[in-house]
Amino acid sequence: GDLLSESDPLDSGISASEAEDGAGAGDDWGWDIKTDSLDELRLEPVIVKEIQECWNTFLKNSGSQEAAGEAIYSALFEGAPSLQSLFVTPRAVQALRFMLGISNFVENVGNPSAMKVAVETLGFGHLNIDVTVPRVVIFRDAIIDLLESEVGAEKWTTGAKDGWGMMLSYVGGALIFMRTNYAERLRILSDSWKAANNKNDGRKKSKEQRQREKEEQLRRKSRAEAADAEKSGTEFETTSNASGESGRSGESGQSGQSGQSGQSGQSGQIQSADEEAEDRGCASFLANTFFGGGGGGTRNGEDKTSDKRSGNKMNKMQMKDSDVPKTFEDMFKWNCAVMGLSGRQWMNEILASFGTMVVNITNSKRLQQECNVLAIKLGKCEGANSVNLAEFKSCMLAALRSLLPKAWDTAHETAWNWLWENVEILLKKYMGQPLIWEAALERLYSSLSKEQLFDFRKDLYERFFAAAPAGQDYFKQSNTRLHFIAERVTDMTLDLYKDPWRMVDEISALGLRHVGFGIPTELFGPFVTATVEVMQSLAQDPTAFEAFRWALGVVSQMLVQTITEGSTIVMKAINANSGAQMKKAASCAPRGDRSNWVLVVQVGSQSISPLLWSIESGSLDAAQAMLEDLLTIRADRERYYYGVDDLFRYHPDIMKTLCVDAASLLPTFLEGLVWRSRTTKGGMRRVNYYVKHLLLDAEGNFAPGLGDLVGVGDPQIISHSAIQLCSNTLWAGLVSQQFILAKIWFIFSLVILLINQTLLPLYYPDKAVYWATFALRMITYLLTMVRLCARHVRDIVLSYRRGDTDKLFRLLPIPTYLKEPYYLASFFLAIFLICMCAYEPFFWCYGDFYWPTEECEGRTDTRFMYSVFAMLAVLLHWGLMADLAVFSTGLSAFVLVCMQVGSEIGRFLIALAFLLTAFSSAISVLEHDYDDMRDVSQTWVALFSITLRLYEDDYRDFQHDPVLLGAIFAFVSASAIVLLNLLIAQLNCSYVYIYANMVGYARLKRSSVVTEIMGKMKKEACTRFMDTLGLDDPLEFGEGDVGMAGGL
């Protein structure tokens, strides 16, 4: 229970006489606690205003809603010792419930009907609590004392105190009244609905269920005794109401009349019995039809008995347990088929919503909302004009009787009839209207001009901000965005009539987004009021205006309901981006539900993930606290609680999300995958790495998480022990073999190229050598060149199709994969091989008398071009062999360091080229007689040779020309002294920085190779290897501690 539970009334500090009187000390103020009826509470407007002002002052003085809830909790816990045993819910959750519940009463205290609905909803939630008058007095006085001490004398007037006393007394009396009149009925509905949808056929029963079955047997026995007394002339009524009046739920009184409820008294029993006989007859007919029972009906009791016995024997022989429907939905459809009612769309729509209505029978607003939406859906069904709700009732009761043959009795009959009649009244209230309203609303929107719609949106916000100034803090967008929101409001009202199925999901999703934005539900009322008032000035047709008002009310109710259900303490912590508040909220959850609290908030068919929302909204402190809580291992005897499986079940792409949106949380996440023992043995400490989900996804394929980490490119992240364990395990077990097999053809190609380019030409002009050279070159062209060309053509086409390109010099789009040095070198190798093939001397000399030969007349120029491209191809071939350094982490680190410092050398060469060009141009202008520096090109080469110390002459050759000598000295000073020393300094600094992470870069390279090869590997080979890792076997934490599965 949330507020009250069982305790001894004598512990409350109230005398026995006061407890019997039922009013306590508050009677002097007229705070009567009425427990015999539930009427509407009507207070004077002045008192209502004082109550609300008093509450607003209390909230303002408290500073926040959470602080106000804590104050209420402390007042009840410390000021009323007898109520301490009632506080079983976690403090943070219970404090929030107190605050929200009282705020709801204060908000509706001026609206009697809404106040009654709010009290009824609270009462239905406390039916299992033994609420007594003394406890109500304790609770009421504690709240009043708290307000009196916190509000101050200025706001705490006599009227405020009197109003609060009457309001809280009204709430307490309603709780007692609801428990007295509805507790048993709702318990029957809840238990029977669970049993009707129990697919396990009730084989596993809890201790509480067994106790309830025993109590049910005792009740049946008492009813049987009452029935015997009734036969003797004693009148026995199954349902009665002490007040004689019918409330919202239709509990009939002594007068025998019924409100919204089902039957009462003897007439109700007779009608229920007739319906039961009719429905059970249908069920019997269905059993006979499907399972080979007797053919037609019987006329006398003896025939029925004999048919029943023979049918039972046949059923035992023919019926199988799997053939009989075991859920309400299946049994309902079964009965529909027998009664000739199958195939009716409107019945399927009610059936789809029936479970929600049963569960929310205690929530008046939620039930009304579901019935309103269902009324719209029924209008869209085929045969909407022939909807007969009595037919659904017959099938529903027949299905329940068939599923609960042993438990079903008169109390069940009365309870389910009462539920359906409540639903039927709510449905009939608006059935048939949505179609009329849809046409009228569509005509209204089409008749409004653009200027009228613009004025509508503008006036809407003016009225809303005037009525609720706090709303301006949540509408900080541009005017264009505000107009878009207002336009969507009007569109949603019409779309709700046109496509209610889609709109229900969209509105639920919108409400969950509002939960993430932290929108107060108190703003929806003023917003709807302002919208309706502005639309009223534009709508000339009353029907269209009513259509707009009703649809907007339904949308608002759905949004408020979604926000209310989704506004958990976890979401509030996210809105505050408080790690401490998040830890406190998560600590309130039971161990078994701890992960669900931070991973999913489900409202209807829509859900939102608090963890993902915190990441997307930038509340990383709260997200870090959630990850730490999820990945903390907790134990309860032989059961372990670890949220990693739930995390990947709800969010299979969590690694990608963290890498893209919250890379700073990756260390927290990876550390959560590691368990380290506190004890050592032989100088070693046991460490378990729960990395199953980094290796395998839900379908048994290689998980993409390692590839996502490679995409981050952080050498420190990739060097984490958990990632290295995954990478090294895959490398040693699978990838290294596949990698060397993939490189064999490349090594073979290099060997063939070296033989035919460097070795065989030494033995020219032997004819056999020419043939061997020609054969090896054809192998190079057919295997290496064709293969490289085919692969690059494929990759280039796919890149352009997918749009995976980057602009070269901001003009030419090129495939993104060519930005990688390895693939770029491979691409140029293919180009050079094509050029070699084009200038191949064997091809140009074809037809020569001495063919095969490379030497023929007039082909000297082609031989030279061929040799240039061959030199470049051999050089690139050797350069690509550096990729084999991945086998050694140290060697790979060195290669990567060389590549990293290459950028510094490149900048040095650019600066040197600038100096060479500048000085060579200047020296070529000078008049001198030195032959090696006559023009720009010769001077450029000479100066570059001087820089590299390859120039043969020295400064003494320039002594006769001091101007030329001075220019050369200036160049040497700028290049050799400044640029070279600056290059050395830059390389030193770069190496110091890179050295700290060079092993990480080497690991990053190996991990990229692992992900690339694993992505192309067949699932069968991957599965066979993963099975050898034993990921499904428990990893022990220590001797005798079995541990959990999913790790290495």
Side-chain angles (χ1 to χ4, degrees):
D2 296 334
L3 296 178
L4 305 171
S5 64
E6 295 183 4
S7 65
D8 191 351
L10 297 178
D11 293 338
S12 62
I14 298 177
S15 64
S17 60
E18 288 176 335
E20 292 175 0
D21 292 340
D27 285 346
D28 296 338
W29 291 84
W31 301 342
D32 294 335
I33 301 176
K34 296 183 179 180
T35 61
D36 56 350
S37 64
L38 181 56
D39 302 324
E40 293 181 350
L41 176 65
R42 299 183 181 275
L43 300 178
E44 294 294 333
V46 177
I47 296 180
V48 171
K49 183 179 180 180
E50 291 181 353
I51 291 175
Q52 294 175 343
E53 289 180 352
C54 177
W55 179 250
N56 293 332
T57 303
F58 171 69
L59 293 179
K60 182 179 180 180
N61 294 340
S62 298
S64 65
Q65 293 183 344
E66 290 76 10
E70 288 286 344
I72 297 174
Y73 187 98
S74 299
L76 294 173
F77 188 85
E78 299 171 1
S82 63
L83 298 181
Q84 293 183 7
S85 60
L86 312 179
F87 294 83
V88 294
T89 307
R91 180 173 185 132
V93 179
Q94 187 62 64
L96 184 63
R97 289 180 181 177
F98 280 140
M99 197 281 305
L100 293 178
I102 297 177
S103 293
N104 188 28
F105 295 145
V106 173
E107 181 181 354
N108 296 308
V109 69
N111 187 341
S113 59
M115 182 67 176
K116 182 178 179 181
V117 171
V119 170
E120 285 178 340
T121 303
L122 181 68
F124 282 126
H126 289 72
L127 293 176
N128 60 325
I129 309 301
D130 186 16
V131 184
T132 61
V133 172
R135 292 177 181 171
V136 172
V137 172
I138 296 173
F139 188 90
R140 179 192 66 193
D141 294 345
I143 298 296
I144 290 177
D145 292 341
L146 172 66
L147 293 175
E148 185 175 2
S149 62
E150 295 291 334
V151 172
E154 182 179 354
K155 295 295 183 180
W156 188 250
T157 62
T158 304
K161 182 176 183 180
D162 193 22
W164 274 95
M166 288 188 289
M167 183 183 72
L168 295 176
S169 298
Y170 173 74
V171 173
L175 294 180
I176 299 175
F177 174 81
M178 298 292 291
R179 173 177 170 79
T180 304
N181 293 276
Y182 298 111
E184 179 64 16
R185 181 173 296 179
L186 293 175
R187 187 199 62 79
I188 291 174
L189 289 175
S190 176
D191 291 349
S192 57
W193 181 249
K194 290 179 182 179
N197 290 278
N198 185 10
K199 296 183 179 181
N200 294 328
D201 201 22
R203 294 174 184 175
K204 296 181 179 180
K205 298 180 180 179
S206 64
K207 181 178 180 180
E208 183 180 358
Q209 289 175 327
R210 291 193 296 269
Q211 181 65 25
R212 287 182 177 178
E213 288 181 358
K214 292 181 180 179
E215 295 176 356
E216 186 68 23
Q217 292 176 358
L218 294 176
R219 281 193 292 271
R220 289 179 191 169
K221 184 177 180 180
S222 64
R223 293 191 190 104
E225 295 175 352
D228 294 338
E230 185 178 5
K231 292 179 182 179
S232 303
T234 304
E235 183 179 358
F236 178 70
E237 297 182 0
T238 58
T239 59
S240 62
N241 191 329
S243 65
E245 298 176 358
S246 59
R248 179 201 70 82
S249 303
E251 193 67 27
S252 61
Q254 295 176 353
S255 61
Q257 298 177 354
S258 62
Q260 296 182 21
S261 69
Q263 289 79 6
S264 64
Q266 294 180 355
S267 59
Q269 292 184 16
I270 295 172
Q271 182 177 352
S272 299
D274 293 339
E275 291 176 354
E276 182 178 0
E278 177 184 356
D279 293 338
R280 285 180 176 168
C282 294
S284 301
F285 170 77
L286 182 61
N288 293 333
T289 302
F290 277 84
F291 300 113
T298 57
R299 297 185 178 181
N300 54 67
E302 295 179 0
D303 293 340
K304 289 182 180 180
T305 302
S306 61
D307 288 346
K308 183 176 180 180
R309 292 174 180 174
S310 61
N312 288 338
K313 292 180 180 179
M314 295 183 65
N315 288 344
K316 290 180 181 179
M317 297 173 60
Q318 298 180 8
M319 290 180 62
K320 296 181 179 179
D321 185 64
S322 60
D323 295 333
V324 180
K326 295 182 180 179
T327 63
F328 174 79
E329 182 178 357
D330 296 337
M331 184 62 75
F332 181 89
K333 294 178 180 179
W334 202 30
N335 282 279
C336 285
V338 165
M339 299 180 184
L341 303 177
S342 60
R344 303 195 180 189
Q345 186 181 357
W346 64 268
M347 293 193 75
N348 292 330
E349 289 297 334
I350 299 178
L351 179 61
S353 303
F354 187 68
T356 305
M357 292 187 290
V358 173
V359 173
N360 291 285
I361 187 63
T362 60
N363 189 337
S364 305
K365 291 184 178 180
R366 183 72 175 86
L367 182 62
Q368 178 70 68
Q369 171 192 314
E370 191 69 28
C371 291
N372 290 343
V373 175
L374 182 57
I376 303 175
K377 293 179 179 180
L378 293 180
K380 293 292 182 179
C381 296
E382 296 180 2
N385 296 328
S386 60
V387 174
N388 186 356
L389 298 179
E391 295 176 350
F392 183 90
K393 176 184 177 181
S394 299
C395 296
M396 178 264 294
L397 291 175
L400 290 170
R401 293 171 188 143
S402 302
L403 291 169
L404 308 170
K406 296 181 179 179
W408 193 266
D409 56 11
T410 307
H412 285 74
E413 194 80 23
T414 302
W416 284 99
N417 273 282
W418 167 78
L419 178 143
W420 179 250
E421 289 190 7
N422 277 276
V423 172
E424 189 172 357
I425 289 174
L426 295 176
L427 282 175
K428 287 182 176 180
K429 185 177 181 180
Y430 295 110
M431 277 180 58
Q433 293 295 324
L435 289 177
I436 301 173
W437 287 342
E438 177 184 349
L441 190 59
E442 195 165 11
R443 288 194 302 269
L444 172 63
Y445 287 164
S446 61
S447 65
L448 297 177
S449 63
K450 293 183 178 180
E451 292 76 12
Q452 288 177 311
L453 291 174
F454 181 85
D455 292 337
F456 163 76
R457 297 190 292 267
K458 180 173 66 66
D459 295 342
L460 186 158
Y461 286 107
E462 290 180 356
R463 294 202 181 193
F464 171 62
F465 292 148
Q472 300 181 55
D473 297 334
Y474 299 93
F475 287 91
K476 299 179 181 179
Q477 299 87 347
S478 63
N479 288 334
T480 304
R481 178 64 179 173
L482 295 181
H483 279 261
F484 170 78
I485 295 173
E487 185 178 2
R488 281 295 302 144
V489 170
T490 56
D491 292 342
M492 289 172 67
T493 55
L494 184 58
D495 291 343
L496 182 63
Y497 289 118
K498 290 184 174 181
D499 191 355
W501 296 272
R502 175 178 62 86
M503 288 306 299
V504 167
D505 291 338
E506 289 188 2
I507 293 172
S508 298
L510 179 63
L512 288 175
R513 288 198 297 273
H514 280 69
V515 172
F517 298 143
I519 306 297
T521 56
E522 294 82 5
L523 296 179
F524 281 88
F527 187 85
V528 171
T529 301
T531 306
V532 172
E533 289 176 353
V534 177
M535 182 59 70
Q536 188 174 14
S537 62
L538 298 176
Q540 303 298 326
D541 183 6
T543 303
F545 172 72
E546 179 63 20
F548 177 81
R549 185 198 62 78
W550 187 81
L552 186 61
V554 173
V555 172
S556 175
Q557 289 176 1
M558 295 174 66
L559 288 174
V560 171
Q561 175 255 330
T562 303
I563 295 173
T564 302
E565 294 184 11
S567 296
T568 62
I569 55 177
V570 171
M571 293 300 295
K572 291 183 179 294
I574 293 174
N575 293 333
N577 191 22
S578 171
Q581 190 173 343
M582 177 59 66
K583 293 178 181 178
K584 183 178 180 181
S587 64
C588 297
R591 289 180 177 177
D593 294 334
R594 205 174 184 110
S595 59
N596 292 332
W597 277 38
V598 298
L599 290 177
V600 61
V601 174
Q602 183 80 31
V603 179
S605 60
Q606 299 294 314
S607 62
I608 187 174
S609 170
L611 176 61
L612 288 188
W613 182 263
S614 64
I615 294 174
E616 293 172 1
S617 62
S619 302
L620 298 185
D621 290 343
Q624 181 176 358
M626 280 189 279
L627 283 176
E628 291 175 351
D629 187 82
L630 273 172
L631 301 179
T632 299
I633 300 176
R634 299 176 177 86
D636 183 7
R637 295 183 180 178
E638 296 182 357
R639 184 176 180 181
Y640 297 95
Y641 300 92
Y642 189 39
V644 66
D645 292 334
D646 293 332
L647 176 61
F648 279 91
R649 183 173 71 252
Y650 285 113
H651 307 304
D653 58 344
I654 184 62
M655 288 296 298
K656 182 178 180 180
T657 302
L658 292 175
C659 292
V660 174
D661 298 327
S664 61
L665 297 180
L666 285 173
T668 302
F669 172 79
L670 295 175
E671 277 300 313
L673 302 180
V674 183
W675 174 86
R676 296 178 176 87
S677 176
R678 293 190 298 268
T679 60
T680 60
K681 184 176 182 180
M684 302 293 289
R685 185 188 306 274
R686 182 178 181 85
V687 181
N688 294 347
Y689 296 89
Y690 294 94
V691 293
K692 176 181 179 180
H693 298 286
L694 298 184
L695 298 174
L696 291 174
D697 60 10
E699 288 75 26
N701 300 316
F702 176 65
L706 186 59
D708 296 330
L709 289 171
V710 171
V712 175
D714 190 335
Q716 295 181 352
I717 293 296
I718 209 69
S719 298
H720 192 274
S721 57
I723 302 303
Q724 280 308 295
L725 178 64
C726 296
S727 179
N728 294 336
T729 301
L730 294 174
W731 174 262
L734 278 179
V735 177
S736 60
Q737 302 174 6
Q738 297 294 326
F739 181 76
I740 194 63
L741 289 176
K743 295 298 180 181
I744 284 179
W745 74 272
F746 197 77
I747 298 173
F748 175 75
S749 172
L750 178 59
V751 172
I752 295 297
L753 185 62
L754 291 176
I755 291 175
N756 71 71
Q757 294 293 333
T758 61
L759 182 62
L760 292 181
L762 298 177
Y763 298 96
Y764 285 171
D766 191 336
K767 201 72 171 178
V769 174
Y770 276 125
W771 277 109
T773 303
F774 176 74
L776 291 178
R777 291 185 181 180
M778 292 302 298
I779 292 175
T780 298
Y781 298 141
L782 294 177
L783 292 183
T784 307
M785 185 187 72
V786 173
R787 182 171 181 173
L788 285 175
C789 291
R791 187 175 68 179
H792 284 289
V793 168
R794 179 200 63 190
D795 294 341
I796 290 173
V797 171
L798 290 177
S799 296
Y800 281 112
R801 283 183 178 179
R802 298 169 181 170
D804 189 14
T805 59
D806 285 332
K807 291 292 185 65
L808 181 63
F809 305 118
R810 299 183 179 181
L811 295 174
L812 181 64
I814 63 171
T816 305
Y817 84 95
L818 291 179
K819 294 173 64 177
E820 294 290 334
Y822 178 84
Y823 293 108
L824 182 62
S826 176
F827 176 76
F828 278 109
L829 177 60
I831 298 297
F832 294 151
L833 290 176
I834 293 175
C835 294
M836 286 177 59
C837 184
Y839 287 98
E840 176 58 53
F842 281 101
F843 295 159
W844 286 96
C845 293
Y846 183 74
D848 188 85
F849 178 78
Y850 296 102
W851 196 89
T853 182
E854 288 184 332
E855 301 175 358
C856 54
E857 296 181 0
R859 300 304 179 189
T860 306
D861 55 342
T862 59
R863 287 189 61 190
F864 174 74
M865 293 301 300
Y866 175 82
S867 65
V868 172
F869 290 119
M871 177 191 69
L872 295 175
V874 171
L875 185 63
L876 277 180
H877 236 305
W878 277 109
L880 290 174
M881 291 295 293
D883 198 45
L884 295 176
V886 72
F887 278 95
S888 171
T889 303
L891 183 59
S892 179
F894 176 77
V895 171
L896 292 171
V897 167
C898 295
M899 295 177 62
Q900 292 292 330
V901 300
S903 60
E904 303 294 338
I905 298 176
R907 284 190 285 269
F908 165 78
L909 293 177
I910 292 174
L912 180 62
F914 175 79
L915 286 177
L916 289 170
T917 305
F919 277 92
S920 61
S921 301
I923 292 175
S924 64
V925 175
L926 179 69
E927 291 186 6
H928 59 83
D929 57 357
Y930 193 69
D931 294 335
D932 289 344
M933 296 184 181
R934 288 292 181 184
D935 55 21
V936 176
S937 59
Q938 288 181 336
T939 307
W940 207 98
V941 174
L943 293 177
F944 188 65
S945 300
I946 292 174
T947 304
L948 299 180
R949 299 182 179 181
L950 298 177
Y951 197 65
E952 294 182 356
D953 295 340
D954 56 27
Y955 73 95
R956 286 171 293 190
D957 296 330
F958 311 122
Q959 287 181 353
H960 63 279
D961 194 341
V963 178
L964 177 61
L965 182 62
I968 294 175
F969 279 170
F971 169 76
V972 172
S973 300
S975 61
I977 298 177
V978 177
L979 287 184
L980 283 177
N981 284 283
L982 184 60
L983 173 64
I984 293 172
Q986 286 182 322
L987 290 178
N988 186 39
C989 294
S990 298
Y991 184 80
V992 170
Y993 170 76
I994 296 171
Y995 179 79
N997 296 312
M998 67 177 184
V999 177
Y1001 282 112
R1003 291 168 174 171
L1004 189 64
K1005 175 64 177 177
R1006 174 177 286 188
S1007 298
S1008 65
V1009 174
V1010 169
T1011 55
E1012 181 181 359
I1013 294 179
M1014 289 298 297
K1016 300 176 181 178
M1017 189 171 296
K1018 294 183 179 180
K1019 183 178 179 180
E1020 293 76 10
C1022 180
T1023 303
R1024 286 196 300 269
F1025 173 73
M1026 294 298 178
D1027 291 341
T1028 63
L1029 300 179
L1031 295 175
D1032 295 329
D1033 299 331
L1035 285 181
E1036 63 179 13
F1037 291 127
E1039 296 181 0
D1041 195 348
V1042 178
M1044 304 175 300
L1048 299 174

